[in-house]
Amino acid sequence: MKLLYSFRGSLKLFPSALFIVFLTASCVKENVDLRHISNTVDWRPKYAMPLAYGSLSLKEIVNAIDTNGIMKEYPNGLLYLSYHNRIFSKTVDSIITIPNQQFQQLFTGLALPGVFPPNDSIKYNSSSNYNFNFNNGAEIDSINFKNGTLVFTVRSEFLHTGSITITTPTMTKNSVPFKITMPINKLDGSFADSIFQSLTGYKLNFNAINQIPVTYSVVLRKDGGAPILATQKISIDIDIRQTAFKSIFGYFSSFQLIDNFPSKVLIDVYQNIIATNAKVADPRLNICYNNSFGIPIRIQLNNVRTFSKSSGYTPVTLNPSVNPIDVLFPNINQLGTLMKDTVRIDKNTSSIATAFNSSPEEFLANITATTNIGGKTHNNFALDTSRFDVDMNVELPMDFQASNYRRVDTIVDFDLSTITKDYSIINKLAIYGTFTNSIPCDLGLQVYLVDSLYTKVDSLFTLADQPVIKGGEIDSNGNVIKPGSKISQFIYSGDRIKPLSKVKHALLYANISTAGGGLTYVKFYSKYLLNLSLGVQIDLKITSLDQFK
């Protein structure tokens, strides 16, 4: 009944039918003074009434069972199973990072004039190029900083005041080069100070491979006229800390973004299978990706295989047309664009159809992704929002053949002991079903009623009842041309009634067979209907009024 209630939008239900008899017993007790009536009676009432009737589409049936949402529909109405797994997701930190940088510059007395001009100052200009270090040997052309800190620490041993001006001509903000001046305001040779500068909003262009130019202008005043000694010096430490970029351009080098990464997709349709001889006409593996990095990436699938408990591992060979996969990437005019694509691997480009004949529970592959495999190019770029996602999807169109697809499920909450205190009141319980089925398969069912220890108490169907629902007839293309029909009845009577009080659970066995003894491929469309009507007849046997106590 729980399953029927899931179809209450399509079926007319009469759930009270099974309980009318017990309500009748209650009314007798409440409205009749049993003290003045003999306990011995012989009542044999019969009740017949509908349980449910209506039409169910194949899509409605699958949606009620498919709690994981794996059932999908093609535009033409053909249904398919879709099993999906996100293999990996790489953000910008996986491609390129900017480590902290440290540079140092020294000016000694040997580089400065030893004698001050009269009433004047000593001036000295110098420039240096410093090498940035990047991960994986990347060669960077430019960076737009999102944040970070530039720290200048200056120490002077000269016995003079003055200043030092530091300029980075290729690092600009609003087209203005970075420039900062630090005063030297001590005469005792112990000067030390630091300046902290935010890098937010700055753009840095490298003048050569990973090189940043810096110019210095040192001014020392004559002050008391102390001489400049060769052993005295000015040291400048430059620290670039905790940087992050909004965008970065250059060559990010060739390296393995992921290396032989183990990937797996679980295929639930083959779980809980106790026997099967099922073949899918065209199983498919889809490699789906999103990429907004401006960098060539190649995906290589290795050790592709399926696994089933009965057959073990089955290798899947792939044609060169689908493996390796060269990932689409945006060009400089598509900055910020997320490129999406799906590479489909099917029976025409691989041996996947043969591998799925083993009804596998798992699809597995090892994945390697390599950047810039075609050689060096300085057209790479990345944004702080760039990402690279790879998903693996197994798609099983419901165009298949099956001769012994058997599945078992447990219905935990199936307690019949609380329906009535006295099962002797029931003489016969019969359920009648009329089915008209355009779904192209026979459905065999068996329900084992078990106690709390899962010991069998009884079963619902007999061998003669099979298939419980007859499938529709198909044409040469596997399409249904005539629905199947069957009238079934299931009867409990005599000694089979009382043991039902022990039932706590139920084991449901389903057996699906397609046309032609399971040797013909058939197609399952969402429009296919199952028309049904269910009714119940209850024969009671009341021999004593004590049965109502």
Side-chain angles (χ1 to χ4, degrees), residues 45 62 77 112 157 164 176 194 215 333 362 397 402-403 424 465 481 483 534:
V62 172
L112 301 177
E157 298 175 357
I164 181 168
V176 178
S194 298
T215 63
N333 296 318
E362 298 177 3
S403 59
S424 66
D465 296 326
I481 56 176
L534 297 175

Side-chain angles (χ1 to χ4, degrees), residues 229-247:
L229 303 179
T231 56
Q232 295 173 333
K233 63 182 179 291
I234 292 177
S235 66
I236 305 165
D237 293 311
I238 304 174
D239 293 314
I240 301 177
R241 306 174 181 173
Q242 299 175 333
T243 54
F245 56 81
K246 293 180 65 176
S247 58

Side-chain angles (χ1 to χ4, degrees), residues 107-115 122-124 158 218 220 228 234:
F107 298 107
T108 66
L110 289 175
L112 301 177
V115 179
I122 292 176
K123 297 180 180 179
Y124 177 77
F158 293 107
V218 178
L220 293 178
I228 293 177
I234 292 177

Side-chain angles (χ1 to χ4, degrees), residues 81-146:
L81 298 169
S82 178
Y83 300 96
H84 198 89
N85 190 24
R86 170 62 53 89
I87 303 304
F88 63 83
S89 182
K90 296 293 184 179
T91 58
V92 70
D93 292 341
S94 305
I95 298 289
I96 186 73
T97 58
I98 307 175
N100 291 341
Q101 311 286 327
Q102 287 93 32
F103 314 119
Q104 188 177 64
Q105 184 72 37
L106 294 176
F107 298 107
T108 66
L110 289 175
L112 301 177
V115 179
F116 283 88
N119 300 318
D120 205 347
S121 302
I122 292 176
K123 297 180 180 179
Y124 177 77
N125 296 320
S126 179
S127 62
S128 295
N129 291 308
Y130 302 110
N131 289 316
F132 258 58
N133 296 314
F134 293 96
N135 61 315
N136 299 316
E139 300 176 2
I140 302 305
D141 299 328
S142 64
I143 301 172
N144 288 298
F145 287 103
K146 182 179 182 179

Side-chain angles (χ1 to χ4, degrees), residues 25 39 167 176 203 255 295 307 317 326 346 377 390 411 474 476 509 528 547:
N39 278 351
T167 304
V176 178
K203 178 180 180 180
F255 64 96
I295 179 173
F307 174 78
T317 58
D326 288 323
D346 56 24
T377 172
V390 175
I411 305 173
I474 62 169
S476 59
Y509 288 75
Y528 286 159
Q547 291 174 295

Side-chain angles (χ1 to χ4, degrees), residues 287-504:
I287 303 298
C288 314
Y289 65 80
N290 305 314
N291 177 41
S292 56
F293 288 105
I295 179 173
I297 300 173
R298 176 170 289 179
I299 296 174
Q300 178 77 40
L301 304 179
N302 305 308
N303 195 20
V304 184
R305 61 211 185 277
T306 61
F307 174 78
S308 69
K309 294 176 183 177
S310 59
S311 304
Y313 292 98
T314 303
V316 177
T317 58
L318 306 179
N319 292 356
S321 61
V322 293
N323 188 44
I325 300 168
D326 288 323
V327 174
L328 298 177
F329 61 95
N331 60 39
I332 193 65
N333 296 318
Q334 298 170 311
L335 194 68
T337 301
L338 186 65
M339 309 295 286
K340 300 181 179 182
D341 196 18
T342 296
V343 177
R344 171 163 290 178
I345 299 168
D346 56 24
K347 63 181 180 181
N348 298 314
T349 56
S350 71
S351 64
I352 189 172
T354 301
F356 267 83
N357 288 342
S358 63
S359 303
E361 296 104 32
E362 298 177 3
F363 191 97
L364 306 100
N366 289 38
I367 298 181
T368 296
T370 306
T371 64
N372 286 316
I373 202 166
K376 183 183 291 189
T377 172
H378 274 253
N379 295 324
N380 299 167
F381 63 83
L383 305 180
D384 58 337
T385 57
S386 295
R387 75 177 197 268
F388 177 45
D389 309 319
V390 175
D391 299 344
M392 195 158 68
N393 170 256
V394 173
E395 185 178 313
L396 303 179
M398 294 193 70
D399 179 3
F400 69 92
Q401 62 180 38
S403 59
N404 191 27
Y405 180 91
R406 298 177 63 197
R407 182 174 179 130
V408 60
D409 288 293
T410 301
I411 305 173
V412 176
D413 186 11
F414 202 81
D415 189 351
L416 301 185
S417 64
T418 59
I419 291 181
T420 180
K421 293 180 180 180
D422 187 359
Y423 268 84
S424 66
I425 198 172
I426 303 175
N427 187 45
K428 184 176 74 170
L429 173 64
I431 299 176
Y432 299 91
T434 300
F435 306 96
T436 303
N437 179 28
S438 61
I439 300 171
C441 66
D442 294 341
L443 177 61
L445 290 174
Q446 184 55 276
V447 179
Y448 291 107
L449 307 176
V450 297
D451 61 18
S452 59
L453 298 177
Y454 288 85
T455 302
K456 178 184 171 183
V457 175
D458 207 333
S459 59
L460 187 57
F461 306 112
T462 66
L463 184 62
D465 296 326
Q466 307 299 334
V468 175
I469 301 176
K470 185 67 176 174
E473 297 181 18
I474 62 169
D475 60 17
S476 59
N477 295 318
N479 298 311
V480 173
I481 56 176
K482 180 181 178 182
S485 61
K486 186 173 182 180
I487 299 175
S488 302
Q489 62 178 2
F490 321 107
I491 299 175
Y492 275 87
S493 61
D495 294 337
R496 298 182 68 190
I497 296 293
K498 188 175 180 180
L500 295 179
S501 63
K502 301 177 182 179
V503 173
K504 296 290 186 180

